[in-house]
């Protein structure tokens, strides 16, 4: 998945739902001139990620990587500081549900757009929950442009890798949540002044 994003030297690659940090670790071993960051909201996953990274470092691997505990829908990162997002999203099978995914994917895509660089940023996202992903890619089309997709077999499940490219819009106010967590449908779109 990281290879599909083609990280360049100096780029920041983030997995906002990293679980055991497999994607950031593999990415940091292959793309040593990029910085890889993983995070998860489940404390036990973050501990497991740190243990995995520490084990590789003890084996003599020099890795440009770190892990943190966070909520993928409220990342503790400033705007436009990430070049690439790569993540194996919850499928809604063992963890969560497809109903949860519809909400999670939407809010995660908005947050990924906030922290990813406009015009050059990209995301490579894997999920089995095709319907939730396609529905939400359409909803956030002002922020993410859909690129190629690839079908892959994950433990007998037909999953899809979606490749998205960040548009030139800083944000789309029509996609923001109100205080009750519901999405507003106002047509206000903020564009990047440099792109005008």
């Amino acid at each position: 998945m990281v290879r599909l994003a083609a990280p360049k030297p100096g780029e920041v690659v983030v997995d906002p739902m990293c679980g055991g940090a497999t994607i950031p670790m593999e990415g940091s071993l292959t793309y040593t001139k990029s910085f890889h960051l993983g995070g998860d909201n489940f404390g036990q996953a973050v501990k497991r990620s740190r243990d995995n990274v520490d084990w590789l470092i003890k084996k003599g691997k020099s890795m440009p990587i770190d892990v943190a505990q966070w909520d993928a829908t409220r990342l503790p990162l400033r705007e436009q500081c990430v070049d690439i997002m790569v993540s194996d999203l919850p499928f809604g099978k063992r963890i969560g549900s497809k109903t949860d995914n519809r909400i999670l994917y939407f809010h995660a895509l908005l947050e990924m757009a906030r922290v990813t660089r406009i015009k050059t940023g990209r995301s490579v996202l894997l999920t089995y929950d095709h319907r939730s992903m396609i529905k939400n890619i359409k909803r956030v089309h002002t922020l993410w442009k859909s690129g190629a997709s690839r079908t892959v077999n994950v433990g007998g499940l037909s999953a899809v890798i979606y490749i998205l490219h960040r548009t030139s819009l800083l944000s789309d106010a029509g996609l923001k949540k109100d205080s009750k967590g519901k999405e507003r449908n106002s047509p206000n779109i903020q564009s990047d002044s440099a792109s005008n």
Side-chain angles (χ1 to χ4, degrees):
M1 288 174 60
V2 178
R3 187 172 288 127
L4 290 172
K8 298 177 181 73
E11 287 192 321
V12 176
V13 184
V14 174
D15 182 347
M17 300 178 221
C18 75
T22 304
I23 291 171
M25 285 189 306
E26 289 294 326
S28 67
L29 291 170
T30 306
Y31 296 92
T32 58
K33 296 191 179 187
S34 300
F35 182 75
H36 301 265
L37 181 60
D40 204 283
N41 70 339
F42 185 52
Q44 201 58 23
V46 175
K47 182 186 180 316
R48 187 173 66 236
S49 297
R50 288 191 189 282
D51 291 344
N52 290 340
V53 170
D54 290 345
W55 184 83
L56 284 172
I57 290 171
K58 284 179 187 173
K59 292 289 184 183
K61 304 288 184 186
S62 175
M63 301 170 61
I65 185 173
D66 203 355
V67 292
Q69 185 166 354
W70 61 35
D71 177 348
T73 65
R74 295 176 185 193
L75 296 171
L77 302 171
R78 63 180 170 77
E79 293 181 3
Q80 298 188 63
C81 68
V82 175
D83 297 288
I84 301 168
M85 289 283 185
V86 180
S87 195
D88 177 354
L89 302 174
F91 283 15
K93 287 281 191 187
R94 286 184 296 178
I95 298 172
S97 68
K98 290 188 177 183
T99 302
D100 293 340
N101 284 350
R102 282 192 287 275
I103 298 165
L104 173 65
Y105 290 5
F106 175 71
H107 295 292
L109 284 167
L110 287 181
E111 187 64 358
M112 287 183 215
R114 182 186 70 78
V115 301
T116 305
R117 295 185 199 284
I118 59 171
K119 299 180 186 176
T120 61
R122 53 233 184 255
S123 287
V124 179
L125 307 171
L126 170 71
T127 184
Y128 166 75
D129 191 353
H130 316 290
R131 283 190 181 165
S132 294
M133 193 62 178
I134 290 169
K135 178 181 177 184
N136 283 299
I137 289 171
K138 287 178 182 175
R139 289 176 74 187
V140 299
H141 72 278
T142 56
L143 302 174
W144 290 107
K145 179 179 154 195
S146 185
S149 62
R150 291 184 166 74
T151 303
V152 293
N153 184 320
V154 179
L157 297 174
S158 179
V160 178
I161 297 172
Y162 295 91
I163 301 168
L164 307 176
H165 301 276
R166 191 67 175 81
T167 66
S168 62
L169 294 179
L170 287 173
S171 64
D172 183 341
L175 296 174
K176 298 219 187 230
K177 302 173 290 186
D178 66 20
S179 60
K180 296 176 184 165
K182 297 178 183 175
E183 296 83 33
R184 286 185 279 165
N185 294 320
S186 77
N188 300 332
I189 297 174
Q190 296 177 356
S191 63
D192 173 28
S193 58
S195 67
N196 291 341

